[in-house]
Amino acid sequence: MQIRRVAVVGTGYVGLTTGACLATLGHRVVCADTDHRKVERLRRGQVDILEPRLPELVREGLDSGRLAFVRDTRAAVADADVVFLCLPTPMGVGGAADLAAVEAVADQIRDALPRGSVVVNKSTVPVGTAERVAALLDRPDVAVVSNPEFLREGYAVRDFLHPDRIVVGAADRDAARRVADLYAGLDAPLVLTDAAGAELVKYAANFFLAMKLSFANNLATLCEHFGADVDDVLTGIGHDPRIGSAFVKPGPGWGGSCLPKDTHALLTVCQESGVDFPLLGATIETNVEHQRRLVERVVAGCTRGDGSLRGVRLGVLGLAFKAGTSDLRDSPALAIARLLKERGAELHAYDPALSETRPDLSDLLTLADTPEEALRGARACLVLTEWPEFRALDWERVAGLLGSPVVYDFRNLLDPDRLRRAGLTCEGIGRTPAMAR
């Protein structure tokens, strides 16, 4: 493998993981970020992101001299062979991806890029962005390549170093090969395509994952209607290799930093292109309606039928969009909390990942330091993130803290028999309270 000089612009989940892992593979990497305080912390090996192995890889890269952090983006790219753009592309007006950060950096680095270098879109971007970046750079001697990331929060390092596939797209096949060679030594299928194909792979993958989750939640509703257990049904269909069992699990809806913005962005692209894709719109609407339905279940069980939760205290376990991360972006737990708040509920919540970061959620809920503090005096307990430590709670003690013996397990995380022995009713998704595992 040829050692390359790599610049990474942006040190979020994708950028920091990309930089640290490429340094681990032997490349010399400079990561640039405009947040000077963040850069100083990273120079000291302090990683704010909750991601297994990432702090260790950052410190190893610093110690070896293969990894550095700077604030000057132009200086970072000045002698780079390959420049990765790992920038935020949030949902913009009307659902389209906001490419302001990508476009601003392209304009900033245009004249600083070395002749013959390659610029790589690592961020999730709409079809046509590689062409857009190439036009903004206006550098015929600089190739633009699409190399989408497929990193799951909580597994980002593992996914980078043990990928399911590596997708590289460009009109210039030599440039595509140069980017692919950065990953030499990793055992994964390589998909070489054009830039539009690579950009679509990322969007299509996230849409398909969202569709599977919406399917599981709709199926759970059907199971509740007929008194079937959704876990049994999903296990039964999951043995069919054409369907599989991965990512087919009911919950409080899908969210996070990728699926919501990417499905909306793809829908916007379809609408603007005149392509009818009804399944995509139905997937998004199913997610929204599912969360409303879960809230109605809580309202029905915690009020006298007037539809208001005014003055009703509810204890919430879990706020992060999934276990293993402190990320609150588009968290389904927060989406449900907001709907409950709109109905007048008084929310007290605990999440083990937020005990140190202490985000300001005071307009929505009271953040507790312990599960017991969140649940004391609550009319009901809601499990909204699948943290394994919630299984190990002293549920007999919890029963004594709650004002009413009801647990809404919207992750199907808990053992209903265990809670029943503690004197609690466990209401999951796609199963009735009488069902035991």
Side-chain angles (χ1 to χ4, degrees):
M1 178 184 70
Q2 183 176 357
I3 304 303
R4 295 288 188 182
R5 295 167 303 187
V6 177
V8 176
V9 184
T11 59
Y13 270 98
V14 175
L16 189 56
T17 301
T18 298
C21 288
L22 287 175
T24 296
L25 294 177
H27 303 292
R28 304 190 69 82
V29 183
V30 177
C31 295
D33 200 292
T34 56
D35 185 338
H36 71 277
R37 292 181 180 178
K38 185 178 184 181
V39 169
E40 289 304 318
R41 291 194 298 273
L42 288 170
R43 285 173 173 172
R44 295 192 297 269
Q46 298 175 2
V47 176
D48 298 330
I49 297 170
L50 180 61
E51 192 63 48
R53 289 191 63 198
L54 186 56
E56 291 82 0
L57 292 190
V58 168
R59 288 191 287 269
E60 289 173 9
L62 291 170
D63 292 342
S64 68
R66 291 192 300 269
L67 182 62
F69 297 94
V70 301
R71 284 186 292 161
D72 190 336
T73 302
R74 288 175 59 85
V77 308
D79 66 347
D81 301 311
V82 182
V83 177
F84 282 87
L85 303 185
C86 302
L87 301 161
T89 54
M91 191 187 308
V93 177
D98 184 349
L99 297 178
V102 174
E103 294 175 350
V105 169
D107 181 66
Q108 183 182 7
I109 66 176
R110 178 190 303 114
D111 299 329
L113 291 167
R115 178 174 295 277
S117 58
V118 178
V119 173
V120 182
N121 280 331
K122 195 71 172 171
S123 309
T124 301
V125 293
V127 179
T129 301
E131 291 183 0
R132 171 66 176 157
V133 170
L136 289 171
L137 292 175
D138 194 22
R139 289 280 303 271
D141 59 313
V142 174
V144 178
V145 173
S146 177
N147 173 220
E149 53 85 14
F150 301 97
L151 307 178
R152 299 168 296 165
E153 291 187 30
Y155 302 88
V157 171
R158 189 172 79 179
D159 288 345
F160 192 102
L161 297 177
H162 304 280
D164 295 320
R165 73 287 205 195
I166 297 169
V167 178
V168 183
D172 184 335
R173 281 305 172 102
D174 178 65
R177 282 288 180 186
R178 287 170 61 189
V179 173
D181 287 346
L182 294 172
Y183 303 95
L186 299 184
D187 184 18
L190 173 63
V191 179
L192 284 178
T193 181
D194 55 24
E199 290 161 345
L200 265 178
V201 165
K202 174 63 176 181
Y203 273 117
N206 278 352
F207 160 50
F208 196 80
L209 294 175
M211 183 180 65
K212 292 179 76 173
L213 291 171
S214 283
F215 164 78
N217 286 329
N218 260 177
L219 184 63
T221 302
L222 190 64
C223 288
E224 290 170 8
H225 179 79
F226 288 107
D229 188 311
V230 69
D231 292 340
D232 292 341
V233 175
L234 289 174
T235 298
I237 68 174
H239 285 295
D240 186 330
R242 297 169 300 174
I243 299 173
S245 59
F247 231 68
V248 187
K249 183 175 176 59
W254 42 267
S257 61
C258 294
L259 298 190
K261 75 178 183 67
D262 292 350
T263 50
H264 280 89
L266 182 57
L267 180 61
T268 300
V269 167
C270 290
Q271 292 170 339
E272 291 176 346
S273 304
V275 176
D276 190 21
F277 206 153
L279 188 58
L280 177 52
T283 295
I284 296 171
E285 182 54 35
T286 294
N287 192 52
V288 174
E289 185 55 38
H290 174 68
Q291 292 176 339
R292 292 182 186 137
R293 191 181 71 85
L294 294 183
V295 168
E296 291 303 326
R297 283 180 59 183
V298 177
V299 170
C302 295
T303 69
R304 295 183 176 86
D306 62 357
S308 172
L309 291 171
R310 190 172 295 107
V312 174
R313 175 169 176 157
L314 297 174
V316 175
L317 296 181
L319 295 174
F321 89 91
K322 69 174 184 178
T325 178
S326 58
D327 199 341
L328 298 175
R329 288 176 290 179
D330 278 304
S331 168
L334 290 184
I336 288 177
R338 291 189 187 97
L339 291 173
L340 292 168
K341 179 75 171 180
E342 290 173 4
R343 303 295 278 269
E346 176 189 329
L347 304 173
H348 294 255
Y350 169 78
D351 190 294
L354 306 182
S355 56
E356 292 186 9
T357 57
R358 305 294 298 183
D360 184 8
L361 300 170
S362 56
D363 62 328
L364 178 62
L365 51 82
T366 299
L367 196 60
D369 293 322
T370 65
E372 292 79 11
E373 182 184 336
L375 300 178
R376 186 173 290 109
R379 182 77 64 86
C381 164
L382 282 74
V383 179
L384 298 181
T385 307
E386 71 281 20
W387 288 102
E389 46 262 62
F390 294 155
R391 288 198 196 99
L393 287 177
D394 183 342
W395 286 101
E396 283 79 9
R397 184 182 179 197
V398 169
L401 295 173
L402 291 173
S404 179
V406 180
V407 176
Y408 293 97
D409 180 10
F410 289 159
R411 289 285 185 173
N412 284 358
L413 175 73
L414 309 175
D415 180 357
D417 274 345
R418 169 79 178 85
L419 268 65
R420 189 177 299 113
R421 290 193 299 269
L424 296 165
T425 298
C426 182
E427 294 199 20
I429 298 179
R431 51 169 67 155
T432 68
M435 290 177 181
R437 304 305 303 160

